[in-house]
Amino acid sequence: MFTGMPTQPSVSTLDAFWPSLQVLIGDIKPAAKTLSNFYSLISHFGFTPELFSLLTGKINQGSEIYPLRPEFVESLVYMYRATGDQMWRNMGKQVLDAIEISTRTPCGYATVSNVVTHQLEDKMESFFLSETTKYLYLLFSDDHWLFDKGVTGDISVTTRWGR
């Protein structure tokens, strides 16, 4: 902490937001590299573990969980919108398929308590519905108003008195 040297060289699933910021400032190539690195974890485990050690190349002990986080899919949305490259949607499709196949339960979707065994936990975080599903929808939506190019329309104001 005091030397500027890494103390725990690892990647967190929360770090997957970073490529979206890179895209927003126009750093497409570094964002693509970061997203591809996260995708390699998804390809290997099916999900991103909470913490993966860059030193050992293994999941940090106690960090095997995947609570259905949105950050990777959020970055895919920005990258797809910036490039139009179908590859980013294909990555999102793999995430969607993994969620549907491995986490769906009769009453919702469950946190993956272990990305190696795909064992589930009896828990669904609220951000899954409020963020992860939203970003999956936006990734596959071609005509959502959020992506309009600044087109405006007339505003109609009505009061309860008719004016």
Side-chain angles (χ1 to χ4, degrees):
M1 180 165 108
F2 299 105
T3 66
M5 298 299 294
T7 56
Q8 186 177 3
S10 58
V11 63
S12 162
T13 190
L14 293 170
D15 295 336
F17 85 95
W18 183 247
S20 64
L21 294 181
Q22 291 176 300
V23 169
L24 287 173
I25 63 169
D27 284 344
I28 304 298
K29 284 185 180 181
K33 184 174 181 178
T34 304
L35 269 176
S36 295
N37 288 336
F38 273 103
Y39 183 68
S40 68
L41 287 174
I42 291 169
S43 294
H44 185 74
F45 297 110
F47 302 100
T48 51
E50 279 293 275
L51 208 56
F52 185 82
S53 172
L54 298 174
L55 277 180
T56 65
K58 296 180 180 180
I59 300 170
N60 288 23
Q61 187 173 2
S63 298
E64 298 86 2
I65 190 170
Y66 171 68
L68 307 170
R69 291 201 185 277
E71 287 79 10
F72 179 74
V73 180
E74 175 187 11
S75 289
L76 290 177
V77 171
Y78 283 98
M79 184 61 86
Y80 176 72
R81 288 290 159 188
T83 66
D85 189 336
Q86 187 65 33
M87 173 181 72
W88 307 113
R89 276 187 168 171
N90 294 342
M91 288 181 185
K93 177 74 165 84
Q94 185 172 341
V95 171
L96 178 61
D97 289 346
I99 288 170
E100 278 295 310
I101 292 167
S102 296
T103 73
R104 189 174 186 145
T105 68
C107 62
Y109 293 84
T111 291
V112 179
S113 62
N114 187 310
V115 297
V116 176
T117 65
H118 289 203
Q119 181 179 343
L120 300 180
E121 197 172 304
D122 188 16
K123 179 179 182 181
M124 182 179 73
E125 299 287 353
S126 62
F127 55 73
F128 172 69
L129 293 177
S130 65
E131 294 182 74
T132 308
T133 57
K134 171 185 65 180
Y135 289 119
L136 284 166
Y137 172 80
L138 291 173
L139 180 61
F140 298 106
S141 176
D142 288 321
D143 58 357
H144 195 278
W145 62 266
L146 282 176
F147 306 124
D148 286 350
K149 303 286 188 228
V151 178
T152 59
D154 294 331
I155 297 175
S156 175
V157 179
T158 306
T159 66
R160 65 181 180 183
W161 298 282
R163 294 176 158 229

